Amino acid sequence: MFTQHNRKSRQLLASGIKSTYDDDLYPTRLNFYREPPPLEISIEEFEQFALDRMQVLQALLTAQMRNLTPEQLDKAVSEAIRKYMPMSPNSKSSTSHRQLMEERRKDHISHFILRLAYSRSQELRSWFLRAECALFRYRFEKEMLKDQLEFLEKQNLSWKKVSDEDKRLLREKLKTSSFKAGNIDEETYFEVDFERVTGLVGRRQVYIQAGKAFVRLSDQVVLVLDEFKERLSHALEVTGRALPRMDEDDRLMPVLNNINKQYLGREFTSSAIAGEIQASDVDDLKVHMPLCMEHLHDELRREKHTRHGGRMQYGLFLKGIGLSLEQALIFWQMAFEKITPEQFNKNYAYNVRHSYGMEGKRTDYTPYSCKSIIMNNAPGPGDHHGCPFRHFSPPNLRAQLAAHNVDEFDTDDIIHKVQQRHYQIACTRYYEVTRAKMVGISPENIKGGLSDSATGSMIASQEVIEHPNQFFEQSYLLMKSKNAENEGGAAAAGATAGAGEGMDGVTGPVPLDATVRGRYTYKKAGASISSNVQHDIDM
Amino acid sequence: MLYYRHFFPFKPFFQWLNYDTVPKPSKSFLNREICWTLMDDTFIRFQSYRTLEEFKNDMIRLNPAKFDLGAIYNIRPKDRHMVRPAAFIPVAKEMVFDIDMTDYDEIRTCCKGADVCNKCWEFMTVAMKIIDVAMRDDFGFKHILWVYSGRRGIHCWVADERARKLNNDQRKAIVSYLEVIKGGMQQGRKVKLPNTLHPSLSRSFETIQEHFRNLVFESQEILSEPENWEKILTLIPDEGVQARIRQSWEDSPNRAPSQKWAELLDTIGNEIGQRQALENFPRDIMFQYTYPRLDDKVSTNINHLLKSPFCVHPKTGRVCVPIPIEDCEDFDPSSPPTVPQLVQELNRYDATHATSGDDSNKLQDWQKTSLRKHVEYFERFLKGLSREMRENKLKGR
């Protein structure tokens, strides 16, 4: 299924070229990264290349998440690329051939280094896959048609062209299958196995018949992207399985571990910001919870039950705020009032222990991030999990906001953001408005970022909410800081209005330090789980 | 207790899981995960067997409440501890669907929860028709087995080799392609389709139109009771139109449902020029009330466990028999035999048929009961599969 390599380059690789580059090795800027680079590099270059690529990937993903116009996004990303990993096109005559090859070599090598660093766990692989696909797409779309076609030809993707006769027969069907179907007669269509275009199939944007999908040439990007994604996904899993055999090398492993520690973002394995939480404390802590978890909690109390999706989302969240396994078992058992302890032990206790890494393959699951909740596992009929900003209908969302005393102006603002599909930014706004009320600051004073108090500036400089546990922690710390403030001594608050950029735009890479001091632990460090298990690979 | 010893059709079942033209156990059988659920609700996962005899013996010994089929792995599931956890990987499994009547609770009025009757069963009929046709015409699959889940739903097993080899991404794409009804409890209107329907949805809409009136007006009586029709009215995206229709229906509640619906279509039809949002409302409501409701999780993960055909449902005692798709309209959920029924039939048969000395005519116990026709249907399904396998062998795969 993955077709044969460009035969010429294969011969060249086999001849063991170490330090000279051949013209054919990198004919265009684009790369499918099929083969690892056959070259030697120093360990300093190893780390530097990797970090530079990280800067670019991070800049791209952050820019995509913020509320930027296409021009702003392009500017931000190309700035990062120019700074850290310039890639000149073939057409630019000012760059020498040698320089072109250097640039592309760096691109090639850095990709493979990051593959190693990010193949360790499912979450890392997911992140890397998303980042690399975004980068590939960004670069592919910037390429001229000539270079795009040349690149694709070399990949030898073996797509079968649809004859004019067949096109005429399928005309009506082709037209109604896609929003973008323009002039059918002028477009070229390809017939490919539906398995190759899962993106289009999943979105119902392609006509399929007897297992064959009929894809437009201009949808090519999608096809190519899907190929890229599939190959990379497969390669990452293979790398992940091969990784433990690398353990004896103690030059590379520290570097690799350092790379993804810096940029993954906080995983919230167990921040225990509120200390050790008891089952009976949860109701009181509801005031600090984000809307998604609060909703799950309320429905749990109302129905005396939660379905599986809700149990996973809420249960892992509670683990993240510091609910131990023992307390979790008590909490859920008491919450499921209508079920006897025996029934609980039979049907639910195993799942709770499983989420804490005590059963089965013993993965200590991390609480879901906002991206994960928004994109994966949408609620079906009868479910209450998910993200309210994403999954509630606008009237229901309005009702919820009203119940939290959000005034009309802010509600409209939030709904507007939801309509533009900026769910996390809507949530952040919700956080700002409700926390402002909580500490008794008028929301107007927050809007311009003007506030004298430490708590005011804590709210004003709020970074975009990326994780429900982040919401909880910051709310909790806010309250602590307010209490400390009230008792006099701003120094006691100990909160730094950090280097967050607000929501206007990207000025540079996201800072690594926390804006609010908290204890964020990383996956390997959390050792409160059963000791006789290898955690290096989890699949 | 007697069911698995006397009635479970071991040989055809083995022939299915073996996916081969010869009786020697193949990798498909050896590496398949079987998960037993015992009478006291304990599960035993990752069981695998080297021969049919071994499987049969364990089944009789354990006397399970039910058993599930998992994926075919790269090694025998029983041997999984001999390798690193990461080296134990699922390799193939049928593409499956699970349609459960409880997902329709918010729109069905005749039953709730675990109950099921002939009236609401029509929802399942529609689901079977729509999904079956999509699997065959759109995706090109041929070997599709629909099975009664034993109580309140249906399972679908797509057994083509091409389907077994699908990865999670592809399974997810298929589910996403089929899925139309989106949203949890908090989402009122769950269907929002574009003006022009994709060819696959246009086709589904035809099926929906065939069943909508009977299902929604007659058996579910949605437009006959205010509390039922209110659920539809609240979804109308125009307050004024909503109020008008509500008033009219409240004023003469005993009018025929078809009349009420015609009035709704008319009122909306007049307003469409003014309000874009109204345009597709009636069509979308028809989808919301009749289109299949899938459980994503069952279908999107290759290693998901699903109850095997020909199990007995622990709560109802009914056998999970296949539903021939060509007769799906006639299926009656109270018709599959129960174990006591089978025992009676067996006894009756033995009483009326003297055993001759000639052993070559010896029938299996299931052949002496009403289970026979179900197993024979299953064997026709197997015949189709073995034809595919022989063709593939000739092509040299």
Side-chain angles (χ1 to χ4, degrees):
Chain A
M1 191 165 50
F2 299 116
T3 50
Q4 62 272 62
H5 304 298
N6 181 321
R7 204 152 281 173
K8 197 158 180 206
S9 68
R10 211 208 174 108
Q11 286 170 342
L12 296 166
L13 294 176
S15 72
I17 292 188
K18 284 236 163 98
S19 55
T20 57
Y21 318 117
D22 193 284
D23 283 3
D24 279 2
L25 205 48
Y26 301 116
T28 71
R29 287 194 286 183
L30 298 169
N31 200 331
F32 250 20
Y33 309 112
R34 285 220 227 118
E35 288 286 305
L39 314 156
E40 290 183 342
I41 58 172
S42 67
I43 196 144
E44 289 80 22
E45 263 190 327
F46 185 87
E47 182 161 30
Q48 190 55 48
F49 280 11
L51 291 177
D52 285 346
R53 194 183 188 85
M54 281 305 308
Q55 293 283 12
V56 172
L57 293 178
Q58 190 72 6
L60 179 58
L61 286 185
T62 314
Q64 283 183 343
M65 209 184 67
R66 300 273 164 109
N67 192 1
L68 300 176
T69 65
E71 296 83 42
Q72 283 177 313
L73 190 146
D74 192 52
K75 182 158 162 290
V77 178
S78 52
E79 187 57 37
I81 288 181
R82 199 185 51 79
K83 193 168 166 196
Y84 294 104
M85 204 171 70
M87 296 284 283
S88 318
N90 286 340
S91 54
K92 206 163 168 206
S93 50
S94 55
T95 21
S96 72
H97 180 80
R98 184 181 183 78
Q99 196 178 336
L100 276 185
M101 291 297 123
E102 287 268 0
E103 290 176 351
R104 293 168 191 187
R105 169 186 172 253
K106 179 174 176 180
D107 170 54
H108 192 186
I109 294 177
S110 59
H111 169 91
F112 273 89
I113 298 173
L114 289 187
R115 258 201 217 184
L116 286 176
Y118 278 86
S119 57
R120 205 162 38 92
S121 76
Q122 185 58 40
E123 182 146 5
L124 291 175
R125 285 196 293 270
S126 265
W127 183 89
F128 183 64
L129 193 62
R130 206 161 36 93
E132 282 291 329
C133 285
L135 181 62
F136 182 83
R137 180 183 202 138
Y138 176 82
R139 287 159 64 184
F140 187 83
E141 285 176 340
K142 273 201 169 281
E143 209 63 67
M144 291 200 314
L145 184 61
K146 176 171 95 57
D147 288 325
Q148 284 181 347
L149 289 176
E150 188 186 338
F151 170 68
L152 287 177
E153 233 146 86
K154 289 235 159 67
Q155 302 309 313
N156 199 5
L157 291 166
S158 68
W159 298 338
K160 180 178 149 198
K161 196 169 146 206
V162 175
S163 69
D164 287 333
E165 180 62 35
D166 288 341
K167 240 199 310 176
R168 213 170 336 121
L169 292 171
L170 295 171
R171 206 167 186 287
E172 212 27 60
K173 301 260 162 81
L174 294 175
K175 198 128 176 257
T176 50
S177 313
S178 165
F179 295 144
K180 298 188 252 160
N183 192 331
I184 309 277
D185 300 315
E186 287 175 357
E187 282 258 28
T188 321
Y189 275 79
F190 292 103
E191 193 183 308
V192 299
D193 287 333
F194 81 87
E195 288 95 331
R196 314 271 295 274
V197 284
T198 52
L200 288 175
V201 171
R203 273 171 283 135
R204 224 183 286 124
Q205 285 295 302
V206 66
Y207 176 65
I208 50 177
Q209 190 188 74
K212 293 283 186 198
F214 293 84
V215 187
R216 291 159 39 234
L217 179 64
S218 40
D219 272 334
Q220 221 180 28
V221 186
V222 176
L223 273 177
V224 177
L225 275 179
D226 281 345
E227 279 282 338
F228 182 79
K229 183 172 174 191
E230 203 180 320
R231 290 179 192 208
L232 184 55
S233 177
H234 180 77
L236 280 175
E237 295 201 354
V238 170
T239 311
R241 281 195 293 256
L243 204 53
R245 292 181 223 133
M246 271 191 61
D247 264 346
E248 27 285 19
D249 188 346
D250 50 23
R251 293 178 307 159
L252 297 181
M253 285 314 286
V255 175
L256 293 176
N257 287 336
N258 183 47
I259 293 173
N260 60 42
K261 265 195 182 154
Q262 292 233 8
Y263 287 89
L264 182 59
R266 309 145 211 164
E267 278 185 311
F268 298 94
T269 26
S270 61
S271 58
I273 204 81
E276 276 264 316
I277 300 200
Q278 307 284 320
S280 45
D281 295 333
V282 179
D283 285 296
D284 295 328
L285 289 170
K286 197 182 81 157
V287 67
H288 293 298
M289 293 186 192
L291 202 52
C292 50
M293 302 304 172
E294 197 190 315
H295 179 65
L296 277 166
H297 184 88
D298 287 339
E299 290 299 321
L300 171 62
R301 290 288 177 237
R302 199 175 61 86
E303 291 177 356
K304 319 273 191 256
H305 188 268
T306 309
R307 282 178 147 211
H308 183 260
R311 292 202 301 276
M312 287 307 287
Q313 187 175 315
Y314 190 47
L316 287 174
F317 168 77
L318 291 176
K319 181 170 83 155
I321 69 175
L323 194 68
S324 69
L325 175 58
E326 294 73 38
Q327 289 301 316
L329 286 167
I330 295 175
F331 173 78
W332 287 104
Q333 195 178 314
M334 310 238 39
F336 284 10
E337 279 176 28
K338 299 186 194 152
I339 297 188
T340 68
E342 294 77 44
Q343 280 174 313
F344 180 84
N345 282 330
K346 197 194 278 189
N347 295 331
Y348 299 102
Y350 178 92
N351 275 75
V352 178
R353 282 199 301 276
H354 194 278
S355 329
Y356 278 75
M358 291 303 186
E359 299 282 359
K361 63 180 184 199
R362 297 184 191 249
T363 316
D364 192 12
Y365 294 94
T366 49
Y368 301 153
S369 62
C370 288
K371 265 240 150 56
S372 169
I373 292 174
I374 289 170
M375 295 199 310
N376 304 338
N377 194 19
D383 284 324
H384 294 292
H385 63 266
C387 169
F389 299 97
R390 167 75 180 87
H391 297 117
F392 279 22
S393 60
N396 282 328
L397 184 56
R398 277 183 190 275
Q400 282 279 347
L401 293 175
H404 285 82
N405 296 324
V406 178
D407 68 30
E408 241 200 270
F409 177 81
D410 291 319
T411 303
D412 283 339
D413 185 22
I414 290 176
I415 298 284
H416 184 62
K417 295 203 159 50
V418 164
Q419 278 161 351
Q420 294 180 313
R421 301 201 287 190
H422 298 304
Y423 309 113
Q424 287 168 247
I425 298 193
C427 183
T428 311
R429 189 92 195 96
Y430 164 83
Y431 173 90
E432 286 177 352
V433 168
T434 49
R435 301 310 107 166
K437 291 226 169 66
M438 194 173 90
V439 300
I441 301 177
S442 156
E444 283 84 61
N445 289 344
I446 304 296
K447 283 176 186 140
L450 304 163
S451 179
D452 289 337
S453 67
T455 45
S457 45
M458 270 171 84
I459 300 181
S461 63
Q462 177 60 41
E463 274 201 318
V464 176
I465 298 287
E466 289 180 359
H467 200 295
N469 287 83
Q470 174 196 5
F471 187 113
F472 178 88
E473 285 200 9
Q474 292 180 326
S475 175
Y476 188 87
L477 283 167
L478 187 69
M479 186 187 74
K480 259 174 85 172
S481 139
K482 164 141 179 106
N483 291 341
E485 213 175 76
N486 290 345
E487 290 160 22
T496 43
E501 294 135 25
M503 296 189 281
D504 332 293
V506 178
T507 51
V510 177
L512 303 174
D513 294 313
T515 48
V516 179
R517 204 173 298 151
R519 267 197 301 130
Y520 301 130
T521 54
Y522 295 95
K523 205 162 186 174
K524 281 222 158 167
S528 53
I529 30 180
S530 122
S531 53
N532 56 340
V533 171
Q534 291 290 338
H535 276 288
D536 287 341
I537 307 285
D538 50 89
M539 296 190 58
Chain B
M1 338 28 313
L2 307 166
Y3 176 78
Y4 291 105
R5 187 191 296 271
H6 291 278
F7 300 111
F8 187 83
F10 285 103
K11 260 180 101 186
F13 185 76
F14 171 79
Q15 198 188 331
W16 174 36
L17 291 192
N18 207 34
Y19 284 114
D20 205 340
T21 45
V22 297
K24 175 162 174 261
S26 67
K27 281 232 152 61
S28 300
F29 181 77
L30 295 170
N31 294 353
R32 165 83 67 168
E33 175 189 355
I34 308 274
C35 172
W36 304 107
T37 304
L38 306 181
M39 297 293 188
D40 62 0
D41 278 342
T42 27
F43 310 145
I44 313 179
R45 275 199 75 171
F46 297 115
Q47 299 301 290
S48 59
Y49 298 95
R50 296 178 193 228
T51 62
L52 174 57
E53 270 314 295
E54 216 181 75
F55 173 68
K56 188 172 180 181
N57 291 340
D58 241 14
M59 187 180 254
I60 294 177
R61 174 179 67 88
L62 291 171
N63 196 27
K66 67 165 171 107
F67 73 98
D68 290 6
L69 296 176
I72 301 170
Y73 285 79
N74 57 334
I75 55 174
R76 287 192 282 254
K78 265 193 177 145
D79 296 341
R80 70 195 180 284
H81 294 303
M82 305 209 290
V83 297
R84 271 180 303 119
F88 176 58
I89 313 161
V91 156
K93 189 163 93 54
E94 297 78 7
M95 174 84 195
V96 292
F97 295 98
D98 179 354
I99 320 241
D100 189 324
M101 197 65 91
T102 46
D103 286 336
Y104 291 79
D105 276 353
E106 62 176 11
I107 55 177
R108 61 174 178 150
T109 57
C110 54
C111 309
K112 268 230 159 4
D115 294 328
V116 130
C117 69
N118 273 315
K119 289 201 253 176
C120 47
W121 190 260
E122 198 170 347
F123 286 116
M124 297 288 119
T125 309
V126 175
M128 275 190 275
K129 282 184 176 178
I130 290 180
I131 297 176
D132 194 80
V133 140
M135 288 294 111
R136 285 179 208 277
D137 290 0
D138 296 342
F139 292 99
F141 295 129
K142 302 200 180 70
H143 307 290
I144 302 172
L145 184 74
W146 288 94
V147 183
Y148 175 55
S149 77
R151 188 165 58 163
R152 58 182 187 220
I154 47 182
H155 296 164
C156 175
W157 296 79
V158 184
D160 297 53
E161 189 177 352
R162 193 175 171 186
R164 303 197 308 265
K165 290 205 172 125
L166 293 170
N167 63 30
N168 285 355
D169 213 22
Q170 290 152 353
R171 286 165 207 259
K172 186 155 196 281
I174 294 179
V175 171
S176 201
Y177 176 87
L178 292 172
E179 199 165 52
V180 161
I181 299 185
K182 299 187 181 163
M185 288 290 279
Q186 293 296 332
Q187 185 76 22
R189 178 164 168 190
K190 297 188 165 78
V191 178
K192 267 227 175 87
L193 294 171
N195 288 340
T196 332
L197 288 181
H198 185 278
S200 148
L201 293 183
S202 306
R203 183 190 56 216
S204 302
F205 191 49
E206 278 170 25
T207 309
I208 285 178
Q209 284 171 308
E210 281 164 21
H211 287 266
F212 180 72
R213 282 167 190 265
N214 189 51
L215 191 44
V216 173
F217 299 168
E218 308 302 321
S219 39
Q220 299 302 308
E221 298 181 332
I222 304 277
L223 296 188
S224 311
E225 296 295 323
E227 63 185 17
N228 294 339
W229 74 55
E230 184 57 32
K231 288 190 194 158
I232 296 189
L233 291 179
T234 39
L235 301 178
I236 299 180
D238 182 307
E239 299 272 340
V241 173
Q242 230 189 78
R244 243 180 294 151
I245 301 179
R246 188 180 287 118
Q247 192 61 55
S248 167
W249 289 2
E250 275 170 19
D251 285 343
S252 42
N254 296 322
R255 256 184 307 158
S258 46
Q259 277 191 315
K260 292 201 187 85
W261 184 253
E263 182 185 347
L264 182 140
L265 292 177
D266 264 346
T267 316
I268 288 186
N270 291 338
E271 295 291 322
I272 282 182
Q274 320 287 339
R275 289 292 314 277
Q276 254 295 325
L278 285 174
E279 189 162 347
N280 298 313
F281 179 78
R283 180 200 67 186
D284 286 356
I285 286 298
M286 290 171 79
F287 269 92
Q288 187 159 331
Y289 273 73
T290 43
Y291 193 86
R293 296 173 175 227
L294 306 172
D295 183 348
D296 291 20
K297 290 184 232 64
V298 173
S299 310
T300 50
N301 211 315
I302 194 179
N303 51 18
H304 195 100
L305 299 171
L306 188 63
K307 183 161 84 217
S308 169
F310 290 107
C311 275
V312 173
H313 193 289
K315 303 230 169 70
T316 60
R318 289 203 191 277
V319 180
C320 303
V321 295
I323 303 176
I325 185 66
E326 53 273 15
D327 300 327
C328 65
E329 295 219 352
D330 302 329
F331 183 77
D332 175 355
S334 60
S335 67
T338 60
V339 180
Q341 193 182 328
L342 290 176
V343 173
Q344 260 190 345
E345 289 172 357
L346 180 63
N347 290 336
R348 217 180 308 142
Y349 185 93
D350 283 341
T352 53
H353 291 74
T355 40
S356 53
D358 182 2
D359 271 4
S360 62
N361 278 334
K362 184 155 184 242
L363 293 176
Q364 299 284 321
D365 283 342
W366 57 258
Q367 289 173 299
K368 302 176 185 172
T369 66
S370 58
L371 207 49
R372 179 181 190 145
K373 62 176 187 291
H374 298 291
V375 180
E376 281 174 354
Y377 175 78
F378 183 64
E379 287 179 324
R380 286 203 291 280
F381 161 75
L382 294 180
K383 255 219 191 100
L385 262 180
S386 61
R387 219 178 305 129
E388 176 189 76
M389 287 185 276
R390 262 179 278 126
E391 280 166 12
N392 287 347
K393 278 208 170 140
L394 287 177
K395 286 191 212 157
R397 281 162 60 165

